[in-house]
Protein backbone atom coordinates (compact mmCIF):
# COMPACT_ATOMS: atom_id res chain seq x y z
CA UNK A 1 0.00 0.00 0.00
CA UNK A 2 1.35 3.41 -1.00
CA UNK A 3 -0.06 6.20 1.17
CA UNK A 4 0.68 9.92 0.70
CA UNK A 5 -0.99 12.09 3.36
CA UNK A 6 -0.09 15.67 2.36
CA UNK A 7 -0.95 17.24 -1.02
CA UNK A 8 -2.31 20.51 -2.43
CA UNK A 9 -4.67 21.41 -5.28
CA UNK A 10 -5.68 24.69 -6.94
CA UNK A 11 -8.10 25.17 -4.06
CA UNK A 12 -4.98 26.49 -2.30
CA UNK A 13 -1.51 26.77 -3.83
CA UNK A 14 -1.26 23.58 -5.89
CA UNK A 15 -1.56 23.78 -9.68
CA UNK A 16 -4.13 21.05 -10.44
CA UNK A 17 -7.84 20.77 -9.75
CA UNK A 18 -8.75 18.26 -7.01
CA UNK A 19 -10.00 15.82 -9.70
CA UNK A 20 -6.75 16.16 -11.69
CA UNK A 21 -4.76 15.57 -8.51
CA UNK A 22 -6.65 12.36 -7.70
CA UNK A 23 -6.22 11.10 -11.29
CA UNK A 24 -2.50 11.83 -11.06
CA UNK A 25 -2.33 9.95 -7.75
CA UNK A 26 -3.74 6.86 -9.44
CA UNK A 27 -1.22 7.16 -12.29
CA UNK A 28 1.56 7.55 -9.70
CA UNK A 29 0.49 4.22 -8.18
CA UNK A 30 -0.85 5.60 -4.91
CA UNK A 31 -3.51 3.60 -3.05
CA UNK A 32 -4.35 6.37 -0.58
CA UNK A 33 -4.12 10.15 -0.97
CA UNK A 34 -4.86 12.93 1.50
CA UNK A 35 -5.94 16.31 0.10
CA UNK A 36 -4.68 18.94 2.57
CA UNK A 37 -5.18 22.36 1.04
CA UNK A 38 -4.21 25.34 3.21
CA UNK A 39 -7.00 26.62 5.50
CA UNK A 40 -9.92 25.18 3.51
CA UNK A 41 -12.11 22.15 2.89
CA UNK A 42 -13.49 23.55 -0.38
CA UNK A 43 -11.80 20.86 -2.50
CA UNK A 44 -13.16 17.89 -0.56
CA UNK A 45 -16.34 17.20 -2.54
CA UNK A 46 -14.66 17.25 -5.96
CA UNK A 47 -11.78 15.10 -4.66
CA UNK A 48 -14.18 12.57 -3.10
CA UNK A 49 -16.12 12.15 -6.35
CA UNK A 50 -12.86 11.68 -8.26
CA UNK A 51 -11.53 9.23 -5.67
CA UNK A 52 -14.59 7.02 -6.07
CA UNK A 53 -14.31 6.97 -9.86
CA UNK A 54 -10.50 6.54 -9.93
CA UNK A 55 -10.42 3.84 -7.25
CA UNK A 56 -8.05 5.78 -4.97
CA UNK A 57 -8.88 6.05 -1.26
CA UNK A 58 -9.13 9.66 -0.06
CA UNK A 59 -8.34 11.08 3.37
CA UNK A 60 -9.98 14.48 3.63
CA UNK A 61 -7.75 16.96 5.44
CA UNK A 62 -6.69 20.57 5.83
CA UNK A 63 -3.28 22.14 6.49
CA UNK A 64 -4.03 24.73 9.15
CA UNK A 65 -1.84 27.87 9.24
CA UNK A 66 -0.69 28.57 12.80
CA UNK A 67 1.91 30.43 14.83
CA UNK A 68 3.94 29.30 17.81
CA UNK A 69 5.09 32.46 19.59
CA UNK A 70 5.66 34.24 16.29
CA UNK A 71 7.09 31.26 14.39
CA UNK A 72 4.93 30.22 11.42
CA UNK A 73 3.94 26.53 11.69
CA UNK A 74 1.52 24.24 9.85
CA UNK A 75 -0.84 21.75 11.49
CA UNK A 76 -2.37 18.96 9.41
CA UNK A 77 -5.91 18.05 10.43
CA UNK A 78 -7.29 14.78 9.11
CA UNK A 79 -10.91 13.61 8.96
CA UNK A 80 -12.50 16.45 10.95
CA UNK A 81 -16.14 17.49 10.65
CA UNK A 82 -16.12 20.24 7.98
CA UNK A 83 -19.27 21.74 9.54
CA UNK A 84 -17.75 22.22 13.00
CA UNK A 85 -18.43 25.92 13.55
CA UNK A 86 -15.40 26.84 15.65
CA UNK A 87 -12.85 25.23 13.33
CA UNK A 88 -14.61 26.52 10.20
CA UNK A 89 -14.58 30.03 11.66
CA UNK A 90 -10.87 29.81 12.45
CA UNK A 91 -10.13 28.74 8.86
CA UNK A 92 -12.31 31.55 7.46
CA UNK A 93 -10.45 34.09 9.60
CA UNK A 94 -7.07 32.86 8.28
CA UNK A 95 -8.26 32.96 4.65
CA UNK A 96 -9.60 36.51 5.11
CA UNK A 97 -6.33 37.61 6.68
CA UNK A 98 -4.34 35.94 3.88
CA UNK A 99 -6.42 37.86 1.35
CA UNK A 100 -5.69 41.24 2.96
CA UNK A 101 -2.05 40.31 3.37
CA UNK A 102 -1.68 39.32 -0.30
CA UNK A 103 -3.27 42.63 -1.36
CA UNK A 104 -0.83 44.49 0.91
CA UNK A 105 2.13 42.59 -0.55
CA UNK A 106 0.96 43.39 -4.10
CA UNK A 107 0.62 47.08 -3.11
CA UNK A 108 4.26 47.07 -1.97
CA UNK A 109 5.48 45.13 -5.01
CA UNK A 110 3.55 47.42 -7.38
CA UNK A 111 5.81 50.31 -6.36
CA UNK A 112 8.78 48.56 -8.00
CA UNK A 113 7.25 46.00 -10.37
CA UNK A 114 4.49 45.86 -12.95
CA UNK A 115 2.02 43.65 -11.01
CA UNK A 116 -1.63 44.12 -10.09
CA UNK A 117 -4.03 42.56 -7.60
CA UNK A 118 -6.36 41.58 -10.47
CA UNK A 119 -3.66 39.35 -11.98
CA UNK A 120 -2.95 37.68 -8.62
CA UNK A 121 -6.64 37.11 -7.93
CA UNK A 122 -7.05 35.61 -11.42
CA UNK A 123 -4.02 33.39 -10.81
CA UNK A 124 -5.56 32.02 -7.62
CA UNK A 125 -9.05 31.48 -8.98
CA UNK A 126 -12.36 32.06 -7.21
CA UNK A 127 -12.56 30.75 -3.68
CA UNK A 128 -8.97 29.52 -3.40
CA UNK A 129 -6.88 30.17 -0.30
CA UNK A 130 -4.48 32.89 -1.44
CA UNK A 131 -0.78 32.59 -0.72
CA UNK A 132 2.58 33.88 -1.84
CA UNK A 133 2.74 31.13 -4.53
CA UNK A 134 -0.01 32.97 -6.47
CA UNK A 135 1.96 36.21 -6.31
CA UNK A 136 5.04 34.21 -7.37
CA UNK A 137 3.19 32.90 -10.44
CA UNK A 138 2.45 36.47 -11.56
CA UNK A 139 6.06 37.53 -11.00
CA UNK A 140 7.14 34.53 -13.11
CA UNK A 141 4.61 35.33 -15.84
CA UNK A 142 5.96 38.91 -15.90
CA UNK A 143 9.55 37.65 -16.19
CA UNK A 144 10.73 38.93 -12.81
CA UNK A 145 11.57 35.41 -11.57
CA UNK A 146 12.37 32.11 -13.28
CA UNK A 147 10.04 30.03 -11.10
CA UNK A 148 8.21 30.02 -7.76
CA UNK A 149 11.40 29.10 -5.89
CA UNK A 150 13.21 32.05 -7.44
CA UNK A 151 10.46 34.46 -6.39
CA UNK A 152 10.45 33.05 -2.84
CA UNK A 153 14.23 33.44 -2.59
CA UNK A 154 14.06 37.10 -3.58
CA UNK A 155 10.93 39.29 -3.78
CA UNK A 156 8.74 37.13 -1.54
CA UNK A 157 11.30 36.36 1.18
CA UNK A 158 10.13 37.07 4.77
CA UNK A 159 13.25 39.17 5.28
CA UNK A 160 12.54 41.34 2.23
CA UNK A 161 10.77 44.72 1.96
CA UNK A 162 7.62 43.35 0.30
CA UNK A 163 6.76 40.75 2.93
CA UNK A 164 3.63 41.21 5.04
CA UNK A 165 2.50 38.83 7.80
CA UNK A 166 -1.03 37.42 8.15
CA UNK A 167 -2.99 36.45 11.20
CA UNK A 168 -3.04 32.78 12.21
CA UNK A 169 -4.05 31.09 15.49
CA UNK A 170 -1.63 29.79 18.11
CA UNK A 171 -0.92 26.15 17.31
CA UNK A 172 -2.00 24.90 20.77
CA UNK A 173 -5.40 26.53 20.25
CA UNK A 174 -5.63 24.96 16.77
CA UNK A 175 -4.84 21.48 18.18
CA UNK A 176 -7.74 21.91 20.62
CA UNK A 177 -10.16 23.03 17.91
CA UNK A 178 -9.11 20.23 15.54
CA UNK A 179 -9.69 17.64 18.28
CA UNK A 180 -13.05 19.19 19.18
CA UNK A 181 -14.04 18.92 15.50
CA UNK A 182 -13.18 15.20 15.55
CA UNK A 183 -9.99 15.71 13.55
CA UNK A 184 -6.58 14.09 13.95
CA UNK A 185 -3.86 16.75 14.41
CA UNK A 186 -0.41 16.04 12.97
CA UNK A 187 2.41 18.62 13.07
CA UNK A 188 3.49 19.24 9.43
CA UNK A 189 7.24 19.37 8.64
CA UNK A 190 8.20 20.49 12.21
CA UNK A 191 11.93 20.90 11.39
CA UNK A 192 11.67 22.57 7.96
CA UNK A 193 14.31 25.17 8.76
CA UNK A 194 14.66 26.29 5.13
CA UNK A 195 11.28 28.05 5.59
CA UNK A 196 12.39 30.04 8.64
CA UNK A 197 12.77 29.46 12.37
CA UNK A 198 11.52 26.14 13.77
CA UNK A 199 9.96 25.44 17.17
CA UNK A 200 11.83 24.04 20.16
CA UNK A 201 11.47 20.52 21.53
CA UNK A 202 9.49 21.97 24.45
CA UNK A 203 6.80 23.34 22.09
CA UNK A 204 6.32 19.84 20.60
CA UNK A 205 6.19 18.32 24.12
CA UNK A 206 3.54 20.85 25.16
CA UNK A 207 1.50 20.12 22.02
CA UNK A 208 1.69 16.39 22.78
CA UNK A 209 0.24 17.19 26.22
CA UNK A 210 -2.49 19.19 24.47
CA UNK A 211 -3.47 16.16 22.37
CA UNK A 212 -1.29 16.30 19.27
CA UNK A 213 -1.48 12.87 17.61
CA UNK A 214 1.45 12.76 15.22
CA UNK A 215 4.57 14.26 13.67
CA UNK A 216 5.24 14.45 9.93
CA UNK A 217 8.78 13.06 9.97
CA UNK A 218 9.51 11.91 6.42
CA UNK A 219 9.38 15.10 4.33
CA UNK A 220 11.83 16.58 1.82
CA UNK A 221 12.43 19.69 3.93
CA UNK A 222 13.98 17.54 6.70
CA UNK A 223 17.60 16.41 6.85
CA UNK A 224 18.44 12.84 7.88
CA UNK A 225 19.42 14.24 11.30
CA UNK A 226 16.05 16.05 11.58
CA UNK A 227 14.22 12.82 10.79
CA UNK A 228 16.20 10.76 13.32
CA UNK A 229 15.63 13.42 16.00
CA UNK A 230 11.88 13.61 15.26
CA UNK A 231 11.51 9.81 15.17
CA UNK A 232 13.10 9.57 18.64
CA UNK A 233 10.91 12.36 19.98
CA UNK A 234 7.75 10.77 18.54
CA UNK A 235 8.66 7.42 20.10
CA UNK A 236 9.26 9.04 23.48
CA UNK A 237 5.98 10.95 23.39
CA UNK A 238 3.85 8.16 21.91
CA UNK A 239 3.13 10.14 18.74
CA UNK A 240 2.39 8.64 15.31
CA UNK A 241 4.96 9.14 12.55
CA UNK A 242 3.84 10.09 9.04
CA UNK A 243 5.67 10.63 5.75
CA UNK A 244 4.31 12.59 2.80
CA UNK A 245 5.23 14.48 -0.34
CA UNK A 246 3.62 17.90 0.27
CA UNK A 247 2.94 17.81 -3.48
CA UNK A 248 2.00 21.17 -5.07
CA UNK A 249 1.69 20.07 -8.73
CA UNK A 250 3.99 22.08 -11.01
CA UNK A 251 4.57 24.65 -8.24
CA UNK A 252 7.30 22.69 -6.45
CA UNK A 253 9.75 19.88 -7.30
CA UNK A 254 8.03 17.53 -4.77
CA UNK A 255 6.72 14.37 -6.50
CA UNK A 256 3.63 12.40 -5.37
CA UNK A 257 4.56 9.44 -3.17
CA UNK A 258 8.18 10.55 -2.66
CA UNK A 259 7.59 9.91 1.05
CA UNK A 260 4.82 7.69 2.39
CA UNK A 261 3.01 6.64 5.56
CA UNK A 262 2.56 3.05 6.80
CA UNK A 263 -0.83 1.29 6.65
CA UNK A 264 -0.70 0.86 10.45
CA UNK A 265 -0.45 4.61 11.00
CA UNK A 266 -3.21 5.27 8.46
CA UNK A 267 -5.46 2.75 10.28
CA UNK A 268 -4.83 4.62 13.55
CA UNK A 269 -5.69 7.97 11.94
CA UNK A 270 -8.83 6.53 10.30
CA UNK A 271 -9.86 5.08 13.66
CA UNK A 272 -9.56 8.42 15.45
CA UNK A 273 -11.14 10.65 12.79
CA UNK A 274 -14.81 11.61 12.93
CA UNK A 275 -15.47 11.19 9.20
CA UNK A 276 -14.78 8.26 6.91
CA UNK A 277 -11.92 7.64 4.53
CA UNK A 278 -13.57 7.77 1.09
CA UNK A 279 -13.09 4.44 -0.70
P1 LIG B 1 2.30 31.69 2.44
O1 LIG B 1 1.48 30.61 3.10
O2 LIG B 1 1.47 32.57 1.62
O3 LIG B 1 3.19 32.44 3.39
O4 LIG B 1 3.27 30.95 1.43
C1 LIG B 1 3.91 29.77 1.85
C2 LIG B 1 3.59 28.65 0.87
O5 LIG B 1 4.42 28.82 -0.24
C3 LIG B 1 3.86 27.27 1.42
O6 LIG B 1 2.66 26.59 1.65
C4 LIG B 1 4.61 26.56 0.36
O7 LIG B 1 3.82 25.61 -0.27
C5 LIG B 1 4.94 27.60 -0.68
N1 LIG B 1 6.40 27.75 -0.82
C6 LIG B 1 7.29 28.09 0.14
N2 LIG B 1 8.53 28.14 -0.36
C7 LIG B 1 8.42 27.82 -1.68
C8 LIG B 1 9.36 27.68 -2.74
N3 LIG B 1 10.66 27.90 -2.56
N4 LIG B 1 8.89 27.32 -3.96
C9 LIG B 1 7.58 27.10 -4.16
N5 LIG B 1 6.65 27.22 -3.19
C10 LIG B 1 7.06 27.57 -1.97
FE1 LIG C 1 1.69 25.43 0.15
FE1 LIG D 1 3.15 23.27 5.02
ZN1 LIG E 1 1.66 21.60 2.58
Amino acid sequence: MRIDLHTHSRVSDGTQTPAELVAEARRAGLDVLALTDHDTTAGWAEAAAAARSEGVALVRGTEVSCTASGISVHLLSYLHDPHDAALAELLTRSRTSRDGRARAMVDRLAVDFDVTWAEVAAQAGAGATIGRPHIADVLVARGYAADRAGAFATMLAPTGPYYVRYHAPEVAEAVGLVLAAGGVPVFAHPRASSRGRVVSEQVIRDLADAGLVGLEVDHRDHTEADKAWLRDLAAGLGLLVTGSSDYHGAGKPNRLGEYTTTPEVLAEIADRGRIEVVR
Side-chain angles (χ1 to χ4, degrees), residues 230-278:
L230 286 166
R231 227 179 282 284
D232 273 4
L233 188 60
L237 294 172
L239 297 174
L240 301 180
V241 165
T242 68
S244 299
S245 66
D246 205 351
Y247 179 70
H248 281 69
K252 279 182 151 185
N254 311 33
R255 293 336 312 165
L256 275 176
E258 66 179 24
Y259 291 101
T260 56
T261 297
T262 66
E264 292 73 25
V265 167
L266 172 64
E268 187 75 31
I269 290 171
D271 211 47
R272 288 166 180 255
R274 184 168 299 168
I275 64 170
E276 300 288 294
V277 174
V278 176

Side-chain angles (χ1 to χ4, degrees), residues 22-74:
V22 171
E24 172 129 354
R26 182 187 48 72
R27 287 195 295 273
L30 293 180
D31 301 290
V32 185
L33 173 79
L35 174 67
T36 54
D37 277 311
H38 298 281
D39 301 319
T40 185
T41 60
W44 284 13
E46 181 183 327
R52 288 189 188 99
S53 67
E54 295 285 344
V56 174
L58 177 75
V59 174
R60 289 165 287 178
T62 299
E63 187 172 20
V64 183
S65 304
C66 301
T67 66
S69 312
I71 300 173
S72 164
V73 299
H74 290 169

Side-chain angles (χ1 to χ4, degrees), residues 13 38 74 98 101 131-133 148-149 152 166 248 251-252:
D13 55 1
H38 298 281
H74 290 169
R98 280 175 161 282
R101 172 267 203 147
R132 282 179 289 161
R148 280 187 178 181
F152 268 86
Y166 63 95
H248 281 69
K252 279 182 151 185

Side-chain angles (χ1 to χ4, degrees), residues 137-180:
D137 289 346
V138 172
L139 293 168
V140 171
R142 288 264 173 197
Y144 297 123
D147 52 20
R148 280 187 178 181
F152 268 86
T154 54
M155 292 159 278
L156 301 178
T159 48
Y162 309 112
Y163 188 83
V164 177
R165 301 178 59 93
Y166 63 95
H167 172 82
E170 277 295 323
V171 62
E173 182 199 348
V175 165
L177 287 178
V178 165
L179 290 170

Side-chain angles (χ1 to χ4, degrees), residues 74-132:
H74 290 169
L75 183 71
L76 292 160
S77 174
Y78 295 116
L79 304 174
H80 57 270
D81 174 3
H83 303 299
D84 179 87
L87 184 57
E89 202 175 291
L90 173 148
L91 298 178
T92 300
R93 217 182 311 142
S94 292
R95 289 197 310 273
T96 304
S97 179
R98 280 175 161 282
D99 201 87
R101 172 267 203 147
R103 288 170 189 262
M105 285 188 70
V106 171
D107 282 347
R108 291 187 183 192
L109 284 160
V111 174
D112 295 326
F113 305 97
D114 196 6
V115 293
T116 63
W117 171 248
E119 287 170 287
V120 174
Q123 192 65 51
T129 302
I130 302 238
R132 282 179 289 161

